[in-house]
Amino acid sequence: MTRKILLLPGDGIGTEVCREARKIIDWLNNNRNTGFVLDEALLGGAAYDAHGTPFPKETLEKAIKSDAILLGAVGGPKWEGLDYSARPERGLLGIRKELELFANLRPAIVFDELADASTLKREIVAGLDILIVRELTGDLYFGTPRGVETLPDGTRRGVNTLVYTSPEVQRIARVAFDLAKKRGGKLCSVDKANVLEATEMWRQEVQKIGDEEYPEIELSHMYVDNAAMQLVRNPKQFDVMVTTNVFGDILSDCAAMLTGSLGMLPSASLGAKDTGKCNALYEPVHGSAPDIAGKDIANPIATILSLVMMLRYSFSLMAEADMVETAIKSVLAKDLRTADIMQPGMKKLGCSEMGDAIMKELDSAKAAGVKVA
Ligand code: IPM
Ligand code: MG
């Protein structure tokens, strides 16, 4: 059996963190017969430099044919002056849209070892395990009309459109309800229904799906401003949250900091199963971090945890997923840290050293004959 993984390292630290994830994939092939076949393609600024477009046709073709995609990050100051259509971010948005990856899962889990690395008090974040489900192919990101025009009097007018249709809301709601069913049975839908009609419709559709199909799930609704506040006030009140593309973008960065660092948060972007195209892309929530790119100091854990999500969601390799996750926890338990999660008295590792440390844990678990299910 072969399992085709496409690597899209992208820009900045994306290439560094993907290199570490690749080591883990090789380890699994060598030690667990996982049969992964790796291919690589360009996306974002790197693709623009090589081909004049952030999303080359060759990348799309490879993406469609793969079983799962692992992406690093895109963007950087080098490409900031370009027209919107050529910016690295368009590559990322393009691949999400082309593959119809409408459901973005962003779990924020606080590892016990890192409860003190958060800027929030330990008791607020210790044991935190929440899941943000972000709609990923609609909203202001894709709505039309869009653009900036200059009016006859010289005034500039910028427009973006917040648009959702009821089927778009229903399909993301079902994904979130299904996940809530497998977890704590609670779902909070986040909107701005007091001001924005499109999100009032969102609220009504989510409620309807809840009433008709998931009466056992405890459904609540919250305005996005309140949700941002509640996330830092008392994040443990949440189990699963479901929200729009823009609100999800913002709230997930906020949730990431609860876990100590943006460098710890993985994500999965999933589409429908029967499209005939690859329906799963995994990426860290963090960006390309141009300020630290090329210095080998980035935290590869968010990317390796994204790989863990891939093992679970795309390949049902539950034992292997548990092994890699346990190896990460063991490294943290040994007080090894990258700069972003560094604490007094601990040992600071670079990006590749962190990848190696995780590999070493995998090796010793294997040598110790640790039983996996
Ligand atoms: C994210 C990122 C992207 C987004 C950018 C890079 C286009 O911030 O995945 O959260 O806004 O979706
Ligand atoms: Mg973001």
Side-chain angles (χ1 to χ4, degrees), residues 107 129-131 178-186 238-240:
D129 179 357
I130 63 177
L131 175 63
D178 283 336
L179 288 161
K181 212 165 161 177
K182 289 193 202 139
R183 294 173 42 105
K186 268 173 39 176
F238 297 112
D239 175 16
V240 180

Side-chain angles (χ1 to χ4, degrees), residues 74 89 92-93 96 104 106 134 136 141 245 249 252-253 283-285:
V74 298
E89 290 76 9
L92 180 55
L93 299 182
R96 287 173 178 171
N104 185 215
R106 301 191 156 184
R134 169 190 177 194
L136 204 59
Y141 276 57
N245 201 346
D249 179 44
S252 59
D253 267 30
E283 57 175 316
V285 169

Side-chain angles (χ1 to χ4, degrees), residues 43-62:
L43 188 79
Y48 177 81
D49 288 346
H51 301 291
T53 162
F55 188 24
K57 222 171 113 218
E58 187 201 76
T59 300
L60 174 62
E61 276 160 13
K62 283 186 176 185

Side-chain angles (χ1 to χ4, degrees), residues 51-365:
H51 301 291
T53 162
F55 188 24
K57 222 171 113 218
E58 187 201 76
T59 300
L60 174 62
E61 276 160 13
K62 283 186 176 185
I64 288 174
K65 284 192 234 135
S66 62
D67 295 315
I69 301 166
L70 186 67
L71 189 144
V74 298
K78 185 175 169 197
W79 303 283
E80 260 163 26
L82 291 176
D83 183 73
Y84 260 87
S85 61
R87 293 221 188 138
E89 290 76 9
R90 301 307 306 177
L92 180 55
L93 299 182
I95 199 166
R96 287 173 178 171
K97 193 71 176 176
E98 285 291 339
L99 300 180
E100 292 169 88
L101 306 172
F102 68 89
N104 185 215
L105 279 43
R106 301 191 156 184
I109 296 168
V110 172
F111 292 127
D112 232 12
E113 294 78 12
L114 288 185
D116 293 310
S118 173
T119 45
L120 273 74
K121 293 195 197 83
R122 168 178 264 277
E123 61 265 29
I124 303 290
V125 297
L128 181 77
D129 179 357
I130 63 177
L131 175 63
I132 296 183
V133 179
R134 169 190 177 194
E135 199 290 329
L136 204 59
T137 50
D139 202 350
L140 293 170
Y141 276 57
F142 298 97
T144 51
R146 66 183 301 154
V148 180
E149 60 176 350
T150 304
L151 303 175
D153 71 353
T155 308
R156 297 214 306 152
R157 181 168 177 272
V159 178
N160 286 96
T161 304
L162 196 187
V163 51
Y164 273 114
T165 61
S166 49
E168 285 178 311
V169 181
Q170 291 157 4
R171 67 179 180 178
I172 190 72
R174 288 195 181 96
V175 169
F177 275 115
D178 283 336
L179 288 161
K181 212 165 161 177
K182 289 193 202 139
R183 294 173 42 105
K186 268 173 39 176
L187 177 64
C188 178
S189 172
V190 177
D191 59 44
K192 188 73 185 173
N194 51 342
V195 180
L196 304 171
E197 292 86 339
T199 75
E200 186 181 25
M201 184 275 286
W202 170 288
R203 179 180 289 222
Q204 292 160 351
E205 293 296 329
V206 174
Q207 184 65 49
K208 197 155 154 252
I209 297 282
D211 291 344
E212 289 172 4
E213 299 172 29
Y214 301 89
E216 72 280 23
I217 302 294
E218 193 188 311
L219 172 65
S220 61
H221 303 274
M222 200 178 271
Y223 298 140
V224 64
D225 49 351
N226 185 24
M229 188 269 280
Q230 296 296 339
L231 265 179
V232 288
R233 191 186 75 91
N234 175 22
K236 281 186 257 182
Q237 70 185 281
F238 297 112
D239 175 16
V240 180
M241 301 174 92
V242 63
T243 191
T244 62
N245 201 346
V246 170
F247 296 162
D249 179 44
I250 300 165
L251 293 180
S252 59
D253 267 30
C254 178
M257 272 321 287
L258 304 172
T259 71
S261 163
L262 209 45
M264 294 296 297
L265 219 69
S267 83
S269 304
L270 309 174
K273 285 225 155 53
D274 44 11
T275 57
K277 297 183 275 196
C278 171
N279 69 343
L281 179 151
Y282 301 83
E283 57 175 316
V285 169
H286 65 70
S288 60
D291 52 326
I292 60 163
K295 296 186 183 155
D296 193 30
I297 58 172
N299 184 352
I301 294 181
T303 308
I304 297 174
L305 286 172
S306 301
L307 173 65
V308 170
M309 290 185 88
M310 179 194 289
L311 298 174
R312 290 205 177 106
Y313 287 94
S314 283
F315 301 119
S316 296
L317 291 167
M318 303 304 177
E320 285 72 15
D322 290 348
M323 287 174 78
V324 178
E325 201 171 64
T326 305
I328 293 171
K329 284 189 187 148
S330 309
V331 168
L332 296 173
K334 289 187 175 153
D335 289 350
L336 303 173
R337 299 282 188 275
T338 41
D340 57 313
I341 47 175
M342 184 61 190
Q343 285 167 263
M346 302 197 175
K347 183 161 184 238
K348 201 194 289 182
L349 300 185
C351 183
S352 54
E353 286 173 328
M354 180 53 93
D356 291 343
I358 295 168
M359 300 269 287
K360 205 168 139 201
E361 287 304 322
L362 286 169
D363 279 335
S364 36

